[in-house]
Amino acid sequence: MPILRNPDSLRNWRQQQRGSLALVPTMGHLHAGHLALLRLAQARAEQVLVSIYVNPLQFGPEEDFASYPRTLESDLQQLAEHGCTTVFVPSDDDLYPRGAAEQTQVVPPERLSSILCGTQRPGHFTGVATIVLKLLHLAQPDILVLGEKDYQQYRIVGQMLDDLNLPVQLLCGPTQRDGDGLARSSRNSRLTSEQRILAPRLATELRQLCQLPVGSLVQAPARDARERLQAAGFAVDYLELRNSESLEPVSEIRPGARWLAAARLGDVRLIDNMVIP
């Protein structure tokens, strides 16, 4: 399994390849959710490139960039065991030689990026869009595979692909969950034992909200769910029903609308979403 360390080596490798290529961008500390995306990519393309890079541009000054878990050796071992074709592991100097703040950036539309997570994390989606576009230019994949757990990110990247006329097919892998319902995330490893017991309540509340009768108004049930989470020890950033395509607010239960939530336990921020069947 080749491990490519800089943009030139990635370009040279890509020029020598034949057949379809799927790209799975990650920030490492891989778990079963990442491996599910790898399997989806393997089913749709002849070769799979996984990138591992903790992108500083998508972290705010008060966020967890320094403490974000980095486990490169075990990540590479997992990828090799699961048949990954190639891995791209660049450094900050490789991708941002003048510094992340000093380079051209991709700014997504405000209607998608200034809501939900964008309210609490200004500039986050500019960092996401910028690094994804850089990876797409370097790797020239046919397919890009993202996870449904980061649903707002998925919609923003999809908009970018359309707006910039990029010839890349976007696939969304379903959210992977632990047995108690908690959406799998690299940040889950930072939960204390007590927080880990509490964490699945976020998914429980979303699941109950998805079971409300069609046509029900959502303001009161959403308020009650937020209050229950806060009483349990969560600091709720948002819990809202949105249109799955436009991410515009939805005031009543409709099939296909999506509940999205973000909440903190201590210094760990959890996000999740569920679609109304």
Side-chain angles (χ1 to χ4, degrees):
M1 184 182 69
I3 301 171
L4 310 175
R5 302 280 182 177
N6 57 64
D8 287 341
S9 63
L10 175 54
R11 288 193 191 95
N12 292 336
W13 173 84
R14 185 66 180 107
Q15 290 173 359
Q16 298 169 21
Q17 306 309 308
R18 298 293 181 268
S20 57
L21 174 67
L23 169 65
V24 183
T26 81
M27 293 204 300
H29 198 51
L30 303 183
H31 51 72
H34 294 110
L35 298 178
L37 298 180
L38 173 62
R39 291 192 296 272
L40 175 60
Q42 290 169 326
R44 299 296 294 270
E46 296 169 73
Q47 299 187 76
V48 177
L49 173 69
V50 173
S51 64
I52 298 176
Y53 180 61
V54 183
N55 175 34
L57 193 58
Q58 67 192 70
F59 288 80
E62 304 300 322
E63 294 186 334
D64 58 347
F65 175 71
S67 61
Y68 193 88
R70 293 163 170 84
T71 53
L72 181 58
E73 185 175 342
S74 64
D75 291 345
L76 295 175
Q77 181 176 348
Q78 287 189 76
L79 292 173
E81 291 172 352
H82 287 82
C84 179
T85 307
T86 308
V87 185
F88 181 46
V89 189
S91 69
D92 292 343
D93 289 341
D94 290 323
L95 292 185
Y96 301 116
R98 291 181 297 279
E102 299 299 323
Q103 74 142 57
T104 300
Q105 299 178 12
V106 180
V107 181
E110 280 196 18
R111 65 177 180 81
L112 294 177
S113 63
S114 64
I115 58 174
L116 303 171
C117 283
T119 302
Q120 285 77 29
R121 306 185 69 187
H124 168 69
F125 290 114
T126 291
V128 169
T130 300
I131 190 61
V132 170
L133 185 61
K134 288 173 74 71
L135 292 171
L136 292 175
H137 277 306
L138 290 169
Q140 298 291 305
D142 304 284
I143 298 169
L144 174 65
V145 182
L146 300 178
E148 183 183 30
K149 182 182 74 69
D150 298 283
Y151 191 78
Q152 186 177 8
Q153 171 180 282
Y154 163 72
R155 296 303 311 169
I156 286 172
V157 170
Q159 184 74 58
M160 179 183 73
L161 297 181
D162 289 343
D163 291 346
L164 300 183
N165 304 112
L166 298 176
V168 181
Q169 179 186 4
L170 179 60
L171 296 183
C172 185
T175 300
Q176 301 296 305
R177 300 182 181 276
D178 290 336
D180 56 11
L182 178 63
R184 286 171 171 159
S185 168
S186 298
R187 288 184 168 92
N188 291 353
S189 64
R190 296 173 48 215
L191 294 167
T192 66
S193 56
E194 293 81 5
Q195 290 169 344
R196 180 60 187 80
I197 293 171
L198 286 174
R201 293 196 185 186
L202 183 61
T204 299
E205 292 292 344
L206 293 178
R207 192 175 299 109
Q208 291 174 351
L209 289 169
C210 284
Q211 294 170 0
L212 292 171
V214 171
S216 300
L217 298 179
V218 303
Q219 183 176 2
R223 181 195 61 227
D224 294 344
R226 287 192 295 270
E227 290 177 353
R228 286 192 295 269
L229 289 168
Q230 289 164 352
F234 290 81
V236 180
D237 286 347
Y238 62 81
L239 193 160
E240 301 180 21
L241 185 65
R242 296 272 176 159
N243 181 289
S244 288
E245 296 296 320
S246 67
L247 297 185
E248 293 177 348
V250 175
S251 61
E252 63 181 42
I253 297 296
R254 302 176 188 168
R258 186 174 298 266
W259 287 101
L260 298 105
R264 300 174 189 270
L265 283 173
D267 63 352
V268 180
R269 188 171 189 269
L270 306 173
I271 65 171
D272 203 348
N273 69 89
M274 291 185 189
V275 68
I276 297 173

